[in-house]
């Protein structure tokens, strides 16, 4: 009887969200959606520029996954995954940021625009409900992004001139003779045409390549990932991005920390800082008192000053920062607080707060377990330090980029949410790693206000 009862016992769900699995067709269509984010068919083949390939793919995948999406958006599931709760809250904040100014056209355009991003995020967390699907998505992103960066490196080097890739001559201060100094910087395609944005993508892709190179179950072809990492390293240099180099340092510290401890992470940071100014050229010259660094601090000041008004709670309106300061904030956190107010800015911070909190809890649990596995699935165990490094890299990169309303940001958030869903189900006692409750809400508000105060202090010190 016990053996018979054991045979009848249903298998454990692979995700803490439970429910049925999305069809394979929806999953494969979603992989194609992600490929088109990096290798844009309209740019590669201008003849099909008028065909909305991305929209067709994502809508097809969305409708095939409606049952799973409805399940993910139920209130009990939102409490199990507060990252999704925050993303849905940002959609409301976008609408409120214009509603408080009675700007109805802005409500319509901004809400629809961000709704497309929410659709991508919800689709990701609904479809990626197994470790195999998570690895498939990560591998697709790593390959597609590497190929896009390879094309950019080839074009920048002058080997082949691709018409759809245009690099930029950027101002880099003034020489001793009073002449303007300019540098030629590599840009990406599509939504990655900012060299700084591209550099953060390069670091993130490099972490994924390292993850697949270290896969013990991979074939000998895994050494191709080394080739990819070399190309990515060349691309990072060609972007001439200071933020990209800092992002690499942050990712390295977070990756080393859970494996080798605080001392190793601090030593790594000190060695990196010492070598950065010697080896990195322009990228190692970081100065907040002059040059582009100081210019960005001044842009932050414009946004933070706008918060000292009735716009404090719901912001000046999504998409209006450039009207205020002439340019984007070049800081996603300042940008979110200014345009969406304390309400929307806190929810934006919440996406990364809950992701970081979940990964931190798993890392502490792993450390306290003294080398014994904490997951029933070893691949989830192996991915944990890489997940932390990717999240830290993106959070660090957003300190110098305005990327509050773009799909790649919510791809990072979505992958973190999907991983935590799988991790919770793979624990010895399946349980949500993070949860939406009063205690976590208080912590989120505290972290959000602390960050806002820190930004005010930085601006006060350096904006002169």
């Amino acid at each position: 009887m016990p053996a018979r009862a054991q045979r009848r016992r249903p298998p454990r769900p692979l995700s803490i969200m439970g429910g049925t699995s999305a069809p394979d067709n929806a999953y494969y269509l979603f992989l194609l959606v992600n490929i088109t984010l990096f290798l844009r068919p309209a740019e590669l083949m201008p003849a099909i520029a008028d065909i909305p390939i991305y929209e067709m793919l994502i809508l097809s995948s969305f409708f095939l996954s409606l049952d799973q999406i409805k399940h993910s958006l139920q209130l009990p599931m939102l409490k199990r995954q507060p990252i999704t709760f925050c993303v849905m809250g940002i959609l409301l904040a976008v609408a409120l940021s214009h509603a408080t100014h009675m700007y109805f056209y802005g409500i319509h355009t901004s809400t629809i625009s961000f709704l497309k991003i929410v659709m991508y995020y919800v689709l990701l967390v609904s479809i990626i409900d197994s470790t195999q699907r998570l690895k498939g998505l990560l591998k697709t992103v790593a390959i597609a992004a590497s190929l896009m960066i390879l094309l950019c490196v080839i074009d920048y080097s002058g080997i082949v001139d691709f018409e759809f890739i245009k690099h930029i001559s950027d101002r880099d201060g003034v020489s001793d003779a009073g002449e303007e100094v300019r540098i030629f910087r590599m840009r990406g395609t599509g939504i990655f045409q900012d060299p700084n944005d591209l550099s953060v993508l390069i670091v993130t892709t490099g972490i994924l390549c390292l993850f697949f190179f270290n896969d013990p179950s991979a074939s000998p072809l895994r050494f191709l990932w080394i080739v990819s990492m070399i190309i990515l390293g060349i691309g990072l240099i060609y972007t001439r991005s200071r933020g990209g180099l800092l992002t690499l340092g942050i990712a390295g510290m977070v990756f080393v920390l859970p494996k080798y401890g605080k001392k190793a992470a601090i030593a790594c940071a000190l060695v990196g800082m010492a070598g950065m100014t010697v080896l990195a050229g322009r990228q190692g010259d970081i100065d907040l008192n002059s040059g582009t660094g100081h210019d960005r601090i001044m842009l932050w000041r414009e946004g933070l000053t706008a918060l000292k008004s009735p716009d404090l709670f719901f912001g000046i309106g999504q998409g209006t920062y450039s009207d205020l300061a002439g340019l984007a904030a070049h800081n996603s956190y300042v940008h979110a607080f200014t345009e969406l107010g304390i309400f929307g800015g806190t929810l934006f911070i919440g996406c990364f707060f809950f992701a970081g909190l979940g990964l931190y809890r798993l890392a502490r649990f792993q450390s306290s377990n003294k080398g014994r596995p904490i997951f029933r699935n070893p691949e989830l165990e192996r991915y944990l330090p890489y997940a932390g490094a990717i999240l830290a890299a993106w959070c660090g990169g957003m300190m110098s980029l305005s990327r509050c309303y773009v799909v790649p940001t919510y791809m990072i958030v979505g992958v973190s949410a999907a991983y935590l869903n799988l991790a919770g189900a793979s624990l010895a006692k399946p349980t949500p790693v993070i949860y939406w409750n009063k205690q976590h809400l208080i912590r989120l508000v505290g972290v959000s206000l602390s960050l806002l105060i820190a930004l005010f202090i930085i601006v006060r010190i350096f904006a002169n």
Side-chain angles (χ1 to χ4, degrees):
M1 287 297 294
R4 194 175 303 169
Q6 187 175 6
R7 285 197 297 270
R8 289 180 188 149
R9 184 181 301 166
R12 290 181 176 183
L14 298 177
S15 171
I16 202 66
M17 306 300 284
T20 59
S21 184
D24 287 340
N25 289 341
Y27 169 65
Y28 295 132
L29 286 169
F30 185 66
L31 294 184
L32 291 175
V33 167
N34 286 275
I35 291 174
T36 60
L37 285 173
F38 302 99
L39 300 171
R40 299 168 70 89
E43 293 179 343
L44 297 173
M45 296 174 285
I48 61 172
D50 295 331
I51 302 176
I53 296 176
Y54 175 86
E55 289 79 4
M56 292 168 59
L57 290 171
I58 197 168
L59 285 173
S60 300
S61 181
F62 189 88
F63 285 116
L64 287 172
S65 310
L66 274 179
D67 289 341
Q68 289 72 32
I69 291 170
K70 291 177 183 177
H71 178 75
S72 298
L73 297 181
Q74 292 175 359
L75 185 58
M77 297 301 108
L78 291 176
K79 288 183 176 180
R80 287 187 176 192
Q81 186 43 268
I83 299 174
T84 304
F85 197 100
C86 289
V87 173
M88 301 305 295
I90 295 173
L91 179 63
L92 175 62
V94 167
L96 287 175
S97 71
H98 290 299
T100 53
H101 297 279
M102 304 299 288
Y103 183 39
F104 298 107
Y105 178 76
I107 296 174
H108 176 261
T109 56
S110 295
T111 303
I112 290 179
S113 177
F114 192 73
L115 186 60
K116 297 176 183 178
I117 297 172
V118 172
M119 181 184 295
Y120 173 90
Y121 168 85
V122 172
L123 194 55
L124 191 158
V125 295
S126 300
I127 288 180
I128 305 303
D129 56 1
S130 70
T131 306
Q132 292 73 21
R133 287 188 172 184
L134 176 63
K135 286 187 70 175
L137 172 62
L138 296 177
K139 185 171 290 187
T140 299
V141 170
I143 293 173
S146 295
L147 289 175
M148 185 266 280
I149 293 162
L150 172 61
L151 295 177
C152 296
V153 168
I154 291 173
D155 185 89
Y156 184 91
S157 302
I159 299 173
V160 178
D161 182 16
F162 297 109
E163 292 185 3
F164 58 90
I165 301 176
K166 302 295 180 184
H167 306 291
I168 185 174
S169 176
D170 207 356
R171 181 180 178 274
D172 190 39
V174 180
S175 68
D176 295 337
E179 297 179 352
E180 187 178 65
V181 178
R182 304 195 71 83
I183 56 170
F184 194 53
R185 305 178 65 189
M186 187 180 81
R187 297 202 303 182
T189 63
I191 56 178
F192 297 100
Q193 294 194 18
D194 185 323
N196 299 311
D197 194 14
L198 181 63
S199 69
V200 177
L201 175 67
I202 288 173
V203 173
T204 303
T205 306
I207 298 169
L208 290 176
C209 291
L210 184 62
F211 171 70
F212 287 110
F213 171 71
N214 288 327
D215 189 350
S217 64
S219 69
L221 291 176
R222 69 177 184 172
F223 288 97
L224 291 176
W225 293 110
I226 294 181
V227 177
S228 180
M229 286 187 277
I230 292 172
I231 294 169
L232 293 171
I234 296 171
L236 184 61
I237 295 172
Y238 284 170
T239 62
R240 306 290 192 267
S241 172
R242 299 181 179 100
L245 198 62
L246 285 173
T247 298
L248 179 62
I250 293 170
M253 284 184 61
V254 173
F255 183 79
V256 167
L257 182 61
K259 278 196 164 191
Y260 304 105
K262 295 179 182 178
K263 292 182 179 179
I266 293 171
C268 205
L270 292 175
V271 171
M273 290 173 64
M276 186 168 62
T277 54
V278 177
L279 301 175
R282 175 196 186 266
Q283 287 172 278
D285 182 16
I286 299 173
D287 186 3
L288 297 181
N289 290 304
S290 62
T292 57
H294 184 260
D295 292 342
R296 292 185 180 187
I297 296 291
M298 298 302 288
L299 288 171
W300 300 3
R301 185 181 68 176
E302 294 293 330
L304 294 176
T305 301
L307 286 177
K308 301 175 183 179
S309 70
D311 296 325
L312 174 64
F313 293 103
F314 297 109
I316 63 174
Q318 191 273 331
T320 60
Y321 200 104
S322 297
D323 298 334
L324 171 73
L327 291 170
H330 289 281
N331 183 310
S332 296
Y333 311 110
V334 172
H335 205 111
F337 276 122
T338 302
E339 291 192 345
L340 306 180
I342 295 292
F343 176 69
T346 298
L347 289 168
F348 180 73
I349 299 297
C351 295
F352 303 94
F353 166 75
F354 283 114
L357 178 63
L359 295 175
Y360 173 74
R361 285 180 172 174
L362 290 175
R364 285 197 62 183
F365 185 26
Q366 189 181 55
S367 177
S368 64
N369 224 34
K370 298 179 180 180
R372 296 188 300 271
I374 63 173
F375 298 126
R376 287 181 287 107
N377 190 317
E379 280 300 281
L380 294 175
E381 189 106 24
R382 194 174 71 84
Y383 181 65
L384 180 55
Y386 299 92
I390 288 172
L391 183 67
W394 207 267
C395 289
M398 289 195 301
M399 281 294 294
S400 58
L401 290 166
S402 289
R403 290 297 177 265
C404 315
Y405 319 111
V406 295
V407 168
T409 294
Y410 294 89
M411 175 194 294
I412 299 298
V413 170
V415 166
S416 300
Y419 173 73
L420 292 175
N421 291 341
L422 297 172
S426 189
L427 294 171
K429 183 181 179 182
T431 183
V433 181
I434 48 177
Y435 202 83
W436 182 272
N437 55 27
K438 183 178 179 180
Q439 182 183 14
H440 283 149
L441 178 59
I442 293 172
R443 288 182 180 178
L444 169 59
V445 172
V447 168
S448 178
L449 293 179
S450 298
L451 177 59
L452 186 58
I453 292 169
L455 290 169
F456 269 108
I457 293 173
I458 292 172
V459 167
R460 185 69 179 268
I461 294 173
F462 293 103
N464 50 51

